[in-house]
Structure formats: C-alpha cells, structure tokens
C-alpha cells in the first residue's frame, strides 16, 4: 500500500502526514511499516521492563549515533529511574544500504564503564556485525553488566549470535528509514518507520 493510500485509510493518524508536508519525503516513501503510535506504545512497554529490571541500580544508557538518538530520547522518558547518558559513533554503512562489516569508532564514550550497569540503545540490528564488535569493545572496559535495547531487529539475517535483552519490533529484511534511521542522511525526522520507493535510491 502506498503512503497516500495508507493515509487515506487511516485519517485519524495525523502524525504520519509529516511526509505530506515535506514534498521531498512524500514522493520517496513507499510503505509505512510501523506507525508513530505503535512505536510509542512499544517504547512505553520497554521502559516499564527496564524500570523493573534496573531498580536500585546505577544505569548508564549508551546511544549509538546517529540513528539511536531518537529512540534513546523517547525510551529514556519511559524509564522511571535516575539515568546517565553517553554516546558512541561508529561507522559501518557509509552511504550504503548494507553494512560493510568494517567498523570504525568515530566518537568514543566519556564515561569510565568499570562497575556500571550499561544498556546499549540501538535503532536497528540487522547483520549484527557492528553490534558484536561494539559489545566486545565495551565488555573489555569491565562494566557491572552490559545489555542491549533495540527498537528493530531484522528477521533471518543475523550473521552472529547476539543476546538482545529488549527488542521492540521484528521486521522483514527490507531497508527502512524514519525515527532516526536514514538513507544518505535524510528521513531521520520522520516519526514512523517506512520503506522507500525504488526510485528514491537513484534520485538521491
């Protein structure tokens, strides 16, 4: 179903119409996979679990830039505990739609992790190669605990075994944008998760 058809079928869902006000986005979006309301509901549930699991602990949220900044901000507002925040920036995609498997740390953490309970916040896990490298790196810094919260996990394409404690949605193996996820640095500010029309990859 196209974006325009989805919006016509769901006139009460006003938030997804952001694309209609950004012409450059509207012509490139194909399908909305997960609405803004669905995302917020899932993050609320994840926040409740994290609140219960980490009660009485010193929790540090580590966001993986750039994509996870939106997820981390909204997830944190659903965690009813004192929190600390830090960020890492890694690169494994460049302008491509598939990970290269070669990981570079572009920005490291400011915190010393020794003894801290660390929750890595990811926007999406696909092959798992980048996250595997990142977790190995962080584990070497001797945190008290190290877990992962991911909004999205692609089905059936993981190349390494990963134990993800919190997962929001399982999605098909399709390239998606929105809610922090980009293609060539665009579409991050869409409040939902969507696929792109094939023409979008050649127009940008």
């Amino acid at each position: 179903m196209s974006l325009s058809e989805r919006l016509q079928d769901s006139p009460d869902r006003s938030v997804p119409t952001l694309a209609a006000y950004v012409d450059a986005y509207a012509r490139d979006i194909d399908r909305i996979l997960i609405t803004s309301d669905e995302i917020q509901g899932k993050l609320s549930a994840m926040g409740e679990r994290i609140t219960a699991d980490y009660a009485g602990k010193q929790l540090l949220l580590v966001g993986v830039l750039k994509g996870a900044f939106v997820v981390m901000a909204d997830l944190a507002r659903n965690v009813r505990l004192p929190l600390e925040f830090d960020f890492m920036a890694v690169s494994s995609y460049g302008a491509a739609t598939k990970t290269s498997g070669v990981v570079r740390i572009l920005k490291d953490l400011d915190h010393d992790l020794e003894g801290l309970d660390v929750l890595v916040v990811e926007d999406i896990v696909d092959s798992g190669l980048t996250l595997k490298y990142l977790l190995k790196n962080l584990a070497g810094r001797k945190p008290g605990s190290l877990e992962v919260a991911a909004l999205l996990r692609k089905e059936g394409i993981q190349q390494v075994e990963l134990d993800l404690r919190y997962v929001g949605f399982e999605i098909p193996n399709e390239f998606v944008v929105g809610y922090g996820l980009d293609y060539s640095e665009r579409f991050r500010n869409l409040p939902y998760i969507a696929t792109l029309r094939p023409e979008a990859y050649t127009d940008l």
Side-chain angles (χ1 to χ4, degrees), residues 35-182:
T35 69
S36 177
D37 286 347
E38 289 167 340
I39 292 171
Q40 296 308 318
K42 184 65 69 174
L43 290 178
S44 176
M46 290 171 69
E48 287 296 321
R49 286 186 58 200
I50 293 167
T51 299
D53 291 347
Y54 288 92
K57 297 183 179 180
Q58 183 180 356
L59 181 59
L60 173 69
L61 297 188
V62 172
V64 183
L65 297 173
K66 297 178 185 176
F69 77 100
V70 178
V71 179
M72 184 166 165
D74 284 348
L75 178 62
R77 283 190 282 263
N78 285 286
V79 177
R80 293 176 287 105
L81 297 171
L83 297 173
E84 294 185 40
F85 301 84
D86 210 337
F87 295 91
M88 291 188 79
V90 299
S91 175
S92 63
Y93 282 83
T97 61
K98 294 183 179 179
T99 180
S100 65
V102 178
V103 179
R104 292 184 299 135
I105 295 179
L106 306 178
K107 179 202 176 299
D108 209 339
L109 299 174
D110 297 321
H111 281 72
D112 178 357
L113 300 188
E114 187 168 357
L116 294 180
D117 291 294
V118 177
L119 181 60
V120 176
V121 180
E122 274 278 27
D123 49 0
I124 189 168
V125 176
D126 41 37
S127 72
L129 293 172
T130 300
L131 184 56
K132 179 81 169 181
Y133 171 87
L134 184 59
L135 292 174
K136 181 178 180 181
N137 181 288
L138 297 179
R141 307 184 197 195
K142 301 180 180 178
S145 67
L146 180 61
E147 301 288 353
V148 178
L151 178 64
L152 307 173
R153 177 168 57 189
K154 287 188 179 179
E155 298 173 336
I157 67 164
Q158 276 72 58
Q159 297 181 31
V160 292
E161 288 290 329
L162 288 171
D163 182 17
L164 306 182
R165 187 165 186 175
Y166 309 100
V167 177
F169 299 94
E170 303 277 357
I171 64 170
N173 183 19
E174 298 182 80
F175 186 76
V176 292
V177 297
Y179 207 73
L181 292 157
D182 77 300

Side-chain angles (χ1 to χ4, degrees), residues 10 14 25 29 31 89 123 136 146 152 172 182 184-185 203:
S10 305
S14 58
Y25 287 175
I29 300 299
R31 293 179 293 117
D123 49 0
K136 181 178 180 181
L146 180 61
L152 307 173
D182 77 300
S184 194
E185 292 300 327
D203 291 343

